[in-house]
Amino acid sequence: MSESKAPGSMSDLEIALKATLRPIEEIAAEAGIPPEALELYGRFKAKIDPAKLTPRPGKAPGKVVLVSAMSPTPAGEGKSTTTVGLADSLARAGHKVMIALREPSLGPVLGMKGGATGGGYSQVLPMDEINLHFTGDFHAITAANNALMALVDNHIFQGNELGIDPRRMTFKRVMDMNDRSLREVVIGLGGPVQGVPRQDGFDITVASEIMAVFCLARNLADLRERLGRITFGYRYDRSPVTVADLGIQGALALLLKDAIKPNLVQTIAGTPALVHGGPFANIAHGCNSLIATETARQLADIVVTEAGFGADLGAEKFMDIKARIGDVAPSAVVVVATIRALKMHGGVPREQLTEPNAEALAAGVENLRRHLHNVEKFGITPVVAINRFGSDSAAELDWLLDWCAREGVQAAVADVWGRGGGGDGGDELAAKVAAAVASPSSFRHLYPLELSVEGKIRTIAQEIYGADGVEFSVPAQRRLADIRRNGWAGLPVCMAKTQYSFTDDATVLGAPKGFTIHVRDLIPKTGAGFIVALTGAVMTMPGLPKEPAAMRMDVDADGNAVGLF
Amino acid sequence: MSESKAPGSMSDLEIALKATLRPIEEIAAEAGIPPEALELYGRFKAKIDPAKLTPRPGKAPGKVVLVSAMSPTPAGEGKSTTTVGLADSLARAGHKVMIALREPSLGPVLGMKGGATGGGYSQVLPMDEINLHFTGDFHAITAANNALMALVDNHIFQGNELGIDPRRMTFKRVMDMNDRSLREVVIGLGGPVQGVPRQDGFDITVASEIMAVFCLARNLADLRERLGRITFGYRYDRSPVTVADLGIQGALALLLKDAIKPNLVQTIAGTPALVHGGPFANIAHGCNSLIATETARQLADIVVTEAGFGADLGAEKFMDIKARIGDVAPSAVVVVATIRALKMHGGVPREQLTEPNAEALAAGVENLRRHLHNVEKFGITPVVAINRFGSDSAAELDWLLDWCAREGVQAAVADVWGRGGGGDGGDELAAKVAAAVASPSSFRHLYPLELSVEGKIRTIAQEIYGADGVEFSVPAQRRLADIRRNGWAGLPVCMAKTQYSFTDDATVLGAPKGFTIHVRDLIPKTGAGFIVALTGAVMTMPGLPKEPAAMRMDVDADGNAVGLF
């Protein structure tokens, strides 16, 4: 996060380590979680068993506030920070609130990415532990994924009764690591006793379909079912072969039986947060587990959650994938905007984003306008959160507030990074969001499931991105036929597109018109229950930079993290 | 474990699930662990921060009882079961006792191996969780190992400033999985942006040098130091290159900062047990973490611990590696013997081991005799634990007790599997062990560190195995020269030899004479601080059988494990 300003030179980690944490039992008790539903992981983390919660007497499930964003700059616009700060401000205003957030992935933490736990005075804690192993959920998902592939390759080695074609495997092993060297590998070398050689590769754990399944399951039994439906490859006769065909969905569910319980932590201000699951936002749907969101609804009146990337991707998938499976339709959508991002979309090069530029602002706001209109297409009134950066001038902020007022959109400047939602940094935003939550909304999905996969993709491209049309590559057309033949056409679509543009070209900023979306391939994720549409190269195993963050990391003699952001 | 008899047809898992567990805080309080040193992981597991323990006033550190065994049958002779049962019986007799055990590896659990948590009525609990992810220690070790290799390959990719020779890498990636297909792989394929191609392979996590380092470190600072000393490969100029050369020992230690705290659990009888770490017993030293053993000594009067394989391997390494680094010299060594194993060493084929055979017993007891003499070479008086199986006749057991009496060796029949140490199954054994602990011993290492590596290997082979001599292959001789040149000759030796025979040929049973040990290669483990001497093929990545145990595993709707053993 680059909002760095108010707290002088203190890093996120320094702010986090200075915060006084309360015992997680206290946070749980205030949140209405009975002790028998709580499984402690150290002093400040706990898992919650949703089966041991009882509905609050006389209370409806909480309303969902989805935090999304305009098309972001590469540095990100501060969605997690806004999510945390907004929740803190809502709590400060007396609302019973709970946060639902994604868990960070370890690989990028060792590379260069900031944490995914918010920033400044709007963080979930203990940020060092959440950013490292946390409660081991991602390790359990890694183990389940790799157990599946070990069992598949063993099946082939032991005689291949199912007739699995080793050249048509669609599932890979994973590691929660940025490890470029594992992108393309050959395995099973060494002769007849070491396996059957085949071309393969590793993805990062968050790209595993098991992560997506984990985040869309309603409970353990549903998780087991969905694991069984995963297609990991094809037989020599081209028919799909699933985990249930191997009969190991029970073993995989067993490996996930504790991980599937949501993790409770607290913000710097003491607001309860469920941090659980974290699928990729391109080849998956990019939001925390459905179980966490539904559990939070059981416990609080307002649940603040986020979805990855901009609203064209994260919010659309939240509405059309997650909110079809679970009862989590948002009552309000917050669209995070920054002066920096508006200027970038107005054509300003990255190194000049801190300089005032009224024309660029006016041009770039068209990107925000399209996202706001998109939110309305789902029947929800958006609220703009202007995430304040140190370089923003009062004139720029006022201009944007005026623009929103002219457009009839609720908006507020939020300084939750510098002042914290526990301070007064998000009071105005919280008031506007609370009003939006209280006013009626009429949620609807963008498309019906009965529409063909092609039709679903065209609808998203035209209605949300503003494209003229969609072009399907020859392989994609062939895959569409496979999808129909295999009976998967009723699944929703998960678009894998760059987050930087409404188009499939990351360099086309603003609110472009007259463009075509190119679908180069389709990947059926039958366990997660969606069809991924690839509109460009998607990196599913990141690499490390020349100076990885790991070089700065250390631990002091008392066991405290050093150099973690 | 195949002791199955008394409790009818109940499996280890069924017995474990019927046991009533007490909250781990209660177990901790009784063990003298203050609440501030305790970090709960659910209701029945906790990590202990050794830095927050204070020495017991007026009490010396507890005495160590090492449980070892005669050369085992492939089914194992029940060392873990005896360790747990003996400790329960010592507790029943009023001693303040604590167990220190290895953590099980997930890979073999999914394959075919029974758990490593004891059996019958002598188990540590919750056995299902301990056998699955437990508190995530092995996942943290996997992550640290693979972070190291991702950073190494990234260093090569980014320009290779250190001049690392990709053909002379001695460190591999790991996975806690039985995955035959990963034994030999080629990584870094896909062209210039995907890495530098090289031949590679994966080991199972317990074979990682980081696991050995983890188990020999005295504290977090020592762990960090030892991680820095790991040699992961060689430069083009043939000089060794270490983790400290890359400057990432801090990041690796950070990844292990919580894992390094020992895990507290309880036995069925409620005896406290520290279950922590679990290195291979061939290419590593095969016992739980030094931190766990030393922590247990701080808390109890008697610490019962075990070492992998037979006494020729596990006990020798305990004495010559672990007890050189930490203050854990045993006051007594229990040698587990079974009627089955004695008959096998007397030449009876595996399928006839349940039939009486007095001659074979008399012949096979020579194997036990050599192990007992070996224990005495370390200045310690052994106690024989006869682990009773359902097929043992009273005549056979009496014969063995008589033999021990004639040899002047303390011995007792233990039925800790069927009756439990919490019952009366181990009372006599406990009494004899307590007497041995109370009597004076004069511990000594087998060899001084000043001896050459060659000399150390010859000493072990001749003194412990009973070999005439040692033959070094040409590569091993070259490696001996490298070791001298690199200044590693002062390290102790870690023998990698079959556990089934005193020789390096698994089929030569009993107490053979007139044989030669063949050292085919030497692997310096400069982080762990020993030189591995390979005397045969060592499998560092197991495979799965045709019908993996995973096929039977499941989880019920309440989240309980099903089919786990």
Side-chain angles (χ1 to χ4, degrees), chain A residues 40 42-43 133 158 173 179-181 183 188 194 255 554, chain B residues 36 40 42 133 154 173 179 181 183 188 194 224 255 546 554:
Chain A
L40 300 182
R43 286 173 215 300
H133 307 290
Q158 302 282 0
R173 286 172 178 77
D179 196 344
R180 180 188 295 109
S181 292
R183 283 178 192 156
Q194 316 286 30
L255 287 170
D554 210 334
Chain B
E36 63 270 19
L40 300 182
H133 307 291
N154 185 59
R173 287 171 179 78
D179 197 344
S181 292
R183 282 179 193 156
Q194 315 287 30
R224 188 179 175 286
L255 287 170
K546 195 170 170 69
D554 210 335

PDB file of all heavy atoms in Angstrom, chain A residues 40 42-43 133 158 173 179-181 183 188 194 255 554, chain B residues 36 40 42 133 154 173 179 181 183 188 194 224 255 546 554:
ATOM      1  N   LEU A  40      -9.263 -22.094  19.618  1.00  0.00           N
ATOM      2  CA  LEU A  40      -8.180 -21.113  19.634  1.00  0.00           C
ATOM      3  C   LEU A  40      -6.970 -21.599  18.859  1.00  0.00           C
ATOM      4  O   LEU A  40      -6.630 -22.780  18.883  1.00  0.00           O
ATOM      5  CB  LEU A  40      -7.766 -20.838  21.078  1.00  0.00           C
ATOM      6  CG  LEU A  40      -8.872 -20.287  21.985  1.00  0.00           C
ATOM      7  CD1 LEU A  40      -8.310 -20.007  23.368  1.00  0.00           C
ATOM      8  CD2 LEU A  40      -9.471 -19.019  21.394  1.00  0.00           C
ATOM      9  N   GLY A  42      -3.473 -20.109  19.206  1.00  0.00           N
ATOM     10  CA  GLY A  42      -2.712 -19.075  19.880  1.00  0.00           C
ATOM     11  C   GLY A  42      -3.679 -18.107  20.556  1.00  0.00           C
ATOM     12  O   GLY A  42      -4.862 -18.402  20.721  1.00  0.00           O
ATOM     13  N   ARG A  43      -3.169 -16.931  20.940  1.00  0.00           N
ATOM     14  CA  ARG A  43      -3.981 -16.003  21.717  1.00  0.00           C
ATOM     15  C   ARG A  43      -4.893 -15.117  20.888  1.00  0.00           C
ATOM     16  O   ARG A  43      -5.875 -14.584  21.381  1.00  0.00           O
ATOM     17  CB  ARG A  43      -3.048 -15.058  22.504  1.00  0.00           C
ATOM     18  CG  ARG A  43      -2.380 -15.701  23.655  1.00  0.00           C
ATOM     19  CD  ARG A  43      -1.342 -14.830  24.338  1.00  0.00           C
ATOM     20  NE  ARG A  43      -0.253 -15.677  24.792  1.00  0.00           N
ATOM     21  CZ  ARG A  43      -0.409 -16.678  25.664  1.00  0.00           C
ATOM     22  NH1 ARG A  43      -1.570 -16.923  26.186  1.00  0.00           N
ATOM     23  NH2 ARG A  43       0.618 -17.425  26.001  1.00  0.00           N
ATOM     24  N   HIS A 133       1.867 -18.243   8.014  1.00  0.00           N
ATOM     25  CA  HIS A 133       1.101 -19.502   7.888  1.00  0.00           C
ATOM     26  C   HIS A 133      -0.341 -19.372   8.367  1.00  0.00           C
ATOM     27  O   HIS A 133      -1.152 -20.228   8.084  1.00  0.00           O
ATOM     28  CB  HIS A 133       1.782 -20.605   8.690  1.00  0.00           C
ATOM     29  CG  HIS A 133       3.220 -20.784   8.370  1.00  0.00           C
ATOM     30  ND1 HIS A 133       3.637 -21.313   7.170  1.00  0.00           N
ATOM     31  CD2 HIS A 133       4.348 -20.508   9.068  1.00  0.00           C
ATOM     32  CE1 HIS A 133       4.967 -21.365   7.158  1.00  0.00           C
ATOM     33  NE2 HIS A 133       5.420 -20.870   8.291  1.00  0.00           N
ATOM     34  N   GLN A 158      -0.150 -47.585 -11.602  1.00  0.00           N
ATOM     35  CA  GLN A 158      -0.562 -48.914 -11.136  1.00  0.00           C
ATOM     36  C   GLN A 158      -1.428 -49.649 -12.153  1.00  0.00           C
ATOM     37  O   GLN A 158      -2.049 -50.661 -11.818  1.00  0.00           O
ATOM     38  CB  GLN A 158      -1.327 -48.802  -9.808  1.00  0.00           C
ATOM     39  CG  GLN A 158      -0.575 -48.140  -8.660  1.00  0.00           C
ATOM     40  CD  GLN A 158       0.445 -49.050  -7.987  1.00  0.00           C
ATOM     41  OE1 GLN A 158       0.600 -50.208  -8.372  1.00  0.00           O
ATOM     42  NE2 GLN A 158       1.148 -48.520  -7.000  1.00  0.00           N
ATOM     43  N   ARG A 173      -0.223 -29.857  -9.883  1.00  0.00           N
ATOM     44  CA  ARG A 173       0.201 -29.749  -8.491  1.00  0.00           C
ATOM     45  C   ARG A 173       0.350 -28.262  -8.145  1.00  0.00           C
ATOM     46  O   ARG A 173       0.476 -27.426  -9.043  1.00  0.00           O
ATOM     47  CB  ARG A 173       1.519 -30.486  -8.268  1.00  0.00           C
ATOM     48  CG  ARG A 173       1.349 -32.008  -8.267  1.00  0.00           C
ATOM     49  CD  ARG A 173       2.667 -32.729  -8.242  1.00  0.00           C
ATOM     50  NE  ARG A 173       2.497 -34.177  -8.205  1.00  0.00           N
ATOM     51  CZ  ARG A 173       2.176 -34.937  -9.249  1.00  0.00           C
ATOM     52  NH1 ARG A 173       1.994 -34.385 -10.455  1.00  0.00           N
ATOM     53  NH2 ARG A 173       2.031 -36.245  -9.117  1.00  0.00           N
ATOM     54  N   ASP A 179       7.349 -19.546  -7.577  1.00  0.00           N
ATOM     55  CA  ASP A 179       8.455 -20.405  -8.013  1.00  0.00           C
ATOM     56  C   ASP A 179       8.392 -20.624  -9.521  1.00  0.00           C
ATOM     57  O   ASP A 179       7.880 -21.632 -10.015  1.00  0.00           O
ATOM     58  CB  ASP A 179       8.414 -21.730  -7.253  1.00  0.00           C
ATOM     59  CG  ASP A 179       9.730 -22.484  -7.363  1.00  0.00           C
ATOM     60  OD1 ASP A 179      10.542 -22.145  -8.248  1.00  0.00           O
ATOM     61  OD2 ASP A 179       9.939 -23.413  -6.565  1.00  0.00           O
ATOM     62  N   ARG A 180       8.969 -19.644 -10.214  1.00  0.00           N
ATOM     63  CA  ARG A 180       8.996 -19.625 -11.665  1.00  0.00           C
ATOM     64  C   ARG A 180       9.472 -20.950 -12.283  1.00  0.00           C
ATOM     65  O   ARG A 180       8.939 -21.401 -13.298  1.00  0.00           O
ATOM     66  CB  ARG A 180       9.954 -18.500 -12.079  1.00  0.00           C
ATOM     67  CG  ARG A 180      10.168 -18.266 -13.519  1.00  0.00           C
ATOM     68  CD  ARG A 180      11.302 -17.258 -13.703  1.00  0.00           C
ATOM     69  NE  ARG A 180      10.965 -15.948 -13.179  1.00  0.00           N
ATOM     70  CZ  ARG A 180      11.508 -15.415 -12.074  1.00  0.00           C
ATOM     71  NH1 ARG A 180      12.407 -16.104 -11.375  1.00  0.00           N
ATOM     72  NH2 ARG A 180      11.165 -14.220 -11.691  1.00  0.00           N
ATOM     73  N   SER A 181      10.465 -21.573 -11.653  1.00  0.00           N
ATOM     74  CA  SER A 181      11.067 -22.783 -12.220  1.00  0.00           C
ATOM     75  C   SER A 181      10.114 -23.961 -12.288  1.00  0.00           C
ATOM     76  O   SER A 181      10.397 -24.949 -12.957  1.00  0.00           O
ATOM     77  CB  SER A 181      12.281 -23.210 -11.388  1.00  0.00           C
ATOM     78  OG  SER A 181      13.306 -22.281 -11.523  1.00  0.00           O
ATOM     79  N   ARG A 183       6.941 -23.686 -13.317  1.00  0.00           N
ATOM     80  CA  ARG A 183       5.839 -23.445 -14.243  1.00  0.00           C
ATOM     81  C   ARG A 183       5.690 -24.566 -15.253  1.00  0.00           C
ATOM     82  O   ARG A 183       4.606 -25.024 -15.538  1.00  0.00           O
ATOM     83  CB  ARG A 183       6.071 -22.127 -14.990  1.00  0.00           C
ATOM     84  CG  ARG A 183       5.758 -20.907 -14.164  1.00  0.00           C
ATOM     85  CD  ARG A 183       6.053 -19.633 -14.958  1.00  0.00           C
ATOM     86  NE  ARG A 183       6.019 -18.484 -14.077  1.00  0.00           N
ATOM     87  CZ  ARG A 183       6.658 -17.338 -14.324  1.00  0.00           C
ATOM     88  NH1 ARG A 183       7.384 -17.199 -15.432  1.00  0.00           N
ATOM     89  NH2 ARG A 183       6.582 -16.345 -13.471  1.00  0.00           N
ATOM     90  N   GLY A 188       7.935 -37.805 -13.493  1.00  0.00           N
ATOM     91  CA  GLY A 188       7.859 -39.246 -13.729  1.00  0.00           C
ATOM     92  C   GLY A 188       9.048 -39.809 -14.472  1.00  0.00           C
ATOM     93  O   GLY A 188       8.968 -40.888 -15.062  1.00  0.00           O
ATOM     94  N   GLN A 194       9.758 -45.455 -11.417  1.00  0.00           N
ATOM     95  CA  GLN A 194       9.608 -44.090 -10.885  1.00  0.00           C
ATOM     96  C   GLN A 194       8.375 -43.378 -11.401  1.00  0.00           C
ATOM     97  O   GLN A 194       8.209 -42.188 -11.173  1.00  0.00           O
ATOM     98  CB  GLN A 194      10.830 -43.234 -11.234  1.00  0.00           C
ATOM     99  CG  GLN A 194      12.162 -43.897 -11.040  1.00  0.00           C
ATOM    100  CD  GLN A 194      12.558 -44.022  -9.587  1.00  0.00           C
ATOM    101  OE1 GLN A 194      11.706 -44.139  -8.721  1.00  0.00           O
ATOM    102  NE2 GLN A 194      13.843 -44.037  -9.327  1.00  0.00           N
ATOM    103  N   LEU A 255      -8.885 -33.999   4.652  1.00  0.00           N
ATOM    104  CA  LEU A 255      -7.720 -33.110   4.748  1.00  0.00           C
ATOM    105  C   LEU A 255      -8.130 -31.651   4.944  1.00  0.00           C
ATOM    106  O   LEU A 255      -7.314 -30.827   5.344  1.00  0.00           O
ATOM    107  CB  LEU A 255      -6.849 -33.236   3.492  1.00  0.00           C
ATOM    108  CG  LEU A 255      -6.044 -34.531   3.374  1.00  0.00           C
ATOM    109  CD1 LEU A 255      -5.405 -34.658   1.994  1.00  0.00           C
ATOM    110  CD2 LEU A 255      -4.953 -34.577   4.463  1.00  0.00           C
ATOM    111  N   ASP A 554      13.347 -11.271   8.666  1.00  0.00           N
ATOM    112  CA  ASP A 554      14.127 -11.915   9.718  1.00  0.00           C
ATOM    113  C   ASP A 554      13.220 -12.110  10.921  1.00  0.00           C
ATOM    114  O   ASP A 554      12.050 -11.729  10.909  1.00  0.00           O
ATOM    115  CB  ASP A 554      15.339 -11.047  10.077  1.00  0.00           C
ATOM    116  CG  ASP A 554      16.526 -11.885  10.548  1.00  0.00           C
ATOM    117  OD1 ASP A 554      16.318 -13.011  11.058  1.00  0.00           O
ATOM    118  OD2 ASP A 554      17.660 -11.410  10.417  1.00  0.00           O
TER     119      ASP A 554
ATOM    120  N   GLU B  36       0.878 -18.556  30.500  1.00  0.00           N
ATOM    121  CA  GLU B  36       1.499 -17.611  29.558  1.00  0.00           C
ATOM    122  C   GLU B  36       2.457 -18.311  28.584  1.00  0.00           C
ATOM    123  O   GLU B  36       2.839 -17.738  27.569  1.00  0.00           O
ATOM    124  CB  GLU B  36       2.212 -16.469  30.299  1.00  0.00           C
ATOM    125  CG  GLU B  36       3.369 -16.889  31.179  1.00  0.00           C
ATOM    126  CD  GLU B  36       2.932 -17.217  32.609  1.00  0.00           C
ATOM    127  OE1 GLU B  36       1.718 -17.461  32.803  1.00  0.00           O
ATOM    128  OE2 GLU B  36       3.790 -17.255  33.508  1.00  0.00           O
ATOM    129  N   LEU B  40      -2.833 -22.280  22.588  1.00  0.00           N
ATOM    130  CA  LEU B  40      -3.778 -23.347  22.238  1.00  0.00           C
ATOM    131  C   LEU B  40      -3.938 -23.482  20.728  1.00  0.00           C
ATOM    132  O   LEU B  40      -3.955 -22.490  20.006  1.00  0.00           O
ATOM    133  CB  LEU B  40      -5.134 -23.052  22.873  1.00  0.00           C
ATOM    134  CG  LEU B  40      -5.146 -22.945  24.393  1.00  0.00           C
ATOM    135  CD1 LEU B  40      -6.558 -22.703  24.893  1.00  0.00           C
ATOM    136  CD2 LEU B  40      -4.564 -24.207  25.019  1.00  0.00           C
ATOM    137  N   GLY B  42      -6.838 -25.332  19.074  1.00  0.00           N
ATOM    138  CA  GLY B  42      -8.031 -26.114  19.347  1.00  0.00           C
ATOM    139  C   GLY B  42      -8.057 -26.490  20.825  1.00  0.00           C
ATOM    140  O   GLY B  42      -7.335 -25.920  21.639  1.00  0.00           O
ATOM    141  N   HIS B 133      -2.807 -32.783   9.806  1.00  0.00           N
ATOM    142  CA  HIS B 133      -1.969 -31.574   9.755  1.00  0.00           C
ATOM    143  C   HIS B 133      -1.357 -31.198  11.101  1.00  0.00           C
ATOM    144  O   HIS B 133      -0.429 -30.409  11.157  1.00  0.00           O
ATOM    145  CB  HIS B 133      -2.790 -30.387   9.255  1.00  0.00           C
ATOM    146  CG  HIS B 133      -3.495 -30.640   7.966  1.00  0.00           C
ATOM    147  ND1 HIS B 133      -2.831 -30.784   6.782  1.00  0.00           N
ATOM    148  CD2 HIS B 133      -4.817 -30.783   7.669  1.00  0.00           C
ATOM    149  CE1 HIS B 133      -3.706 -30.999   5.803  1.00  0.00           C
ATOM    150  NE2 HIS B 133      -4.913 -31.009   6.328  1.00  0.00           N
ATOM    151  N   ASN B 154      15.695 -18.671  -8.381  1.00  0.00           N
ATOM    152  CA  ASN B 154      15.513 -17.280  -8.787  1.00  0.00           C
ATOM    153  C   ASN B 154      16.866 -16.563  -8.868  1.00  0.00           C
ATOM    154  O   ASN B 154      17.095 -15.754  -9.772  1.00  0.00           O
ATOM    155  CB  ASN B 154      14.593 -16.566  -7.795  1.00  0.00           C
ATOM    156  CG  ASN B 154      14.278 -15.148  -8.231  1.00  0.00           C
ATOM    157  OD1 ASN B 154      13.742 -14.927  -9.308  1.00  0.00           O
ATOM    158  ND2 ASN B 154      14.647 -14.171  -7.400  1.00  0.00           N
ATOM    159  N   ARG B 173      13.573 -29.693  -3.623  1.00  0.00           N
ATOM    160  CA  ARG B 173      12.278 -29.299  -3.099  1.00  0.00           C
ATOM    161  C   ARG B 173      11.649 -30.497  -2.389  1.00  0.00           C
ATOM    162  O   ARG B 173      12.035 -31.638  -2.631  1.00  0.00           O
ATOM    163  CB  ARG B 173      11.373 -28.802  -4.232  1.00  0.00           C
ATOM    164  CG  ARG B 173      11.776 -27.418  -4.753  1.00  0.00           C
ATOM    165  CD  ARG B 173      11.030 -27.049  -6.004  1.00  0.00           C
ATOM    166  NE  ARG B 173      11.393 -25.721  -6.479  1.00  0.00           N
ATOM    167  CZ  ARG B 173      12.508 -25.418  -7.138  1.00  0.00           C
ATOM    168  NH1 ARG B 173      13.395 -26.361  -7.415  1.00  0.00           N
ATOM    169  NH2 ARG B 173      12.757 -24.170  -7.523  1.00  0.00           N
ATOM    170  N   ASP B 179       4.844 -39.329  -3.355  1.00  0.00           N
ATOM    171  CA  ASP B 179       4.581 -38.966  -4.743  1.00  0.00           C
ATOM    172  C   ASP B 179       5.739 -39.395  -5.636  1.00  0.00           C
ATOM    173  O   ASP B 179       6.626 -38.614  -5.964  1.00  0.00           O
ATOM    174  CB  ASP B 179       4.314 -37.463  -4.853  1.00  0.00           C
ATOM    175  CG  ASP B 179       3.649 -37.091  -6.169  1.00  0.00           C
ATOM    176  OD1 ASP B 179       3.676 -37.919  -7.107  1.00  0.00           O
ATOM    177  OD2 ASP B 179       3.116 -35.980  -6.269  1.00  0.00           O
ATOM    178  N   SER B 181       6.029 -39.868  -8.703  1.00  0.00           N
ATOM    179  CA  SER B 181       6.253 -39.154  -9.968  1.00  0.00           C
ATOM    180  C   SER B 181       7.171 -37.957  -9.825  1.00  0.00           C
ATOM    181  O   SER B 181       7.634 -37.412 -10.822  1.00  0.00           O
ATOM    182  CB  SER B 181       4.925 -38.656 -10.539  1.00  0.00           C
ATOM    183  OG  SER B 181       4.144 -39.734 -10.954  1.00  0.00           O
ATOM    184  N   ARG B 183       9.988 -38.014  -8.027  1.00  0.00           N
ATOM    185  CA  ARG B 183      11.356 -38.409  -7.656  1.00  0.00           C
ATOM    186  C   ARG B 183      12.392 -37.824  -8.601  1.00  0.00           C
ATOM    187  O   ARG B 183      13.413 -37.332  -8.176  1.00  0.00           O
ATOM    188  CB  ARG B 183      11.467 -39.942  -7.679  1.00  0.00           C
ATOM    189  CG  ARG B 183      10.863 -40.600  -6.480  1.00  0.00           C
ATOM    190  CD  ARG B 183      10.980 -42.116  -6.588  1.00  0.00           C
ATOM    191  NE  ARG B 183      10.141 -42.755  -5.591  1.00  0.00           N
ATOM    192  CZ  ARG B 183       9.652 -43.985  -5.692  1.00  0.00           C
ATOM    193  NH1 ARG B 183       9.929 -44.724  -6.767  1.00  0.00           N
ATOM    194  NH2 ARG B 183       8.907 -44.482  -4.739  1.00  0.00           N
ATOM    195  N   GLY B 188      12.175 -25.789 -14.820  1.00  0.00           N
ATOM    196  CA  GLY B 188      12.683 -24.593 -15.510  1.00  0.00           C
ATOM    197  C   GLY B 188      12.510 -24.643 -17.013  1.00  0.00           C
ATOM    198  O   GLY B 188      13.189 -23.920 -17.743  1.00  0.00           O
ATOM    199  N   GLN B 194      10.962 -18.493 -18.182  1.00  0.00           N
ATOM    200  CA  GLN B 194      10.419 -19.442 -17.212  1.00  0.00           C
ATOM    201  C   GLN B 194      11.491 -20.056 -16.311  1.00  0.00           C
ATOM    202  O   GLN B 194      11.194 -20.984 -15.561  1.00  0.00           O
ATOM    203  CB  GLN B 194       9.684 -20.592 -17.912  1.00  0.00           C
ATOM    204  CG  GLN B 194       8.765 -20.179 -19.033  1.00  0.00           C
ATOM    205  CD  GLN B 194       7.487 -19.512 -18.567  1.00  0.00           C
ATOM    206  OE1 GLN B 194       7.472 -18.862 -17.536  1.00  0.00           O
ATOM    207  NE2 GLN B 194       6.441 -19.664 -19.329  1.00  0.00           N
ATOM    208  N   ARG B 224      18.309 -20.399  13.368  1.00  0.00           N
ATOM    209  CA  ARG B 224      18.660 -19.418  12.335  1.00  0.00           C
ATOM    210  C   ARG B 224      20.123 -19.605  11.890  1.00  0.00           C
ATOM    211  O   ARG B 224      20.432 -19.584  10.697  1.00  0.00           O
ATOM    212  CB  ARG B 224      18.438 -18.020  12.906  1.00  0.00           C
ATOM    213  CG  ARG B 224      18.582 -16.882  11.919  1.00  0.00           C
ATOM    214  CD  ARG B 224      18.302 -15.557  12.610  1.00  0.00           C
ATOM    215  NE  ARG B 224      18.548 -14.442  11.714  1.00  0.00           N
ATOM    216  CZ  ARG B 224      19.764 -14.019  11.367  1.00  0.00           C
ATOM    217  NH1 ARG B 224      20.841 -14.626  11.842  1.00  0.00           N
ATOM    218  NH2 ARG B 224      19.899 -12.998  10.533  1.00  0.00           N
ATOM    219  N   LEU B 255       9.873 -18.193   8.908  1.00  0.00           N
ATOM    220  CA  LEU B 255       8.847 -19.168   8.511  1.00  0.00           C
ATOM    221  C   LEU B 255       8.696 -20.292   9.540  1.00  0.00           C
ATOM    222  O   LEU B 255       7.707 -21.004   9.545  1.00  0.00           O
ATOM    223  CB  LEU B 255       9.178 -19.761   7.139  1.00  0.00           C
ATOM    224  CG  LEU B 255       8.970 -18.831   5.943  1.00  0.00           C
ATOM    225  CD1 LEU B 255       9.549 -19.434   4.674  1.00  0.00           C
ATOM    226  CD2 LEU B 255       7.482 -18.526   5.752  1.00  0.00           C
ATOM    227  N   LYS B 546      -0.937 -49.848  -4.615  1.00  0.00           N
ATOM    228  CA  LYS B 546      -2.045 -49.953  -5.590  1.00  0.00           C
ATOM    229  C   LYS B 546      -3.375 -49.540  -4.966  1.00  0.00           C
ATOM    230  O   LYS B 546      -4.205 -48.915  -5.625  1.00  0.00           O
ATOM    231  CB  LYS B 546      -2.133 -51.383  -6.130  1.00  0.00           C
ATOM    232  CG  LYS B 546      -2.992 -51.504  -7.391  1.00  0.00           C
ATOM    233  CD  LYS B 546      -2.856 -52.871  -8.041  1.00  0.00           C
ATOM    234  CE  LYS B 546      -3.891 -53.086  -9.141  1.00  0.00           C
ATOM    235  NZ  LYS B 546      -3.680 -52.249 -10.327  1.00  0.00           N
ATOM    236  N   ASP B 554     -12.391 -40.887   4.994  1.00  0.00           N
ATOM    237  CA  ASP B 554     -13.540 -40.021   4.751  1.00  0.00           C
ATOM    238  C   ASP B 554     -13.752 -39.165   5.993  1.00  0.00           C
ATOM    239  O   ASP B 554     -13.013 -39.269   6.981  1.00  0.00           O
ATOM    240  CB  ASP B 554     -14.781 -40.878   4.450  1.00  0.00           C
ATOM    241  CG  ASP B 554     -15.768 -40.166   3.519  1.00  0.00           C
ATOM    242  OD1 ASP B 554     -15.764 -38.915   3.487  1.00  0.00           O
ATOM    243  OD2 ASP B 554     -16.522 -40.855   2.838  1.00  0.00           O
TER     244      ASP B 554
END
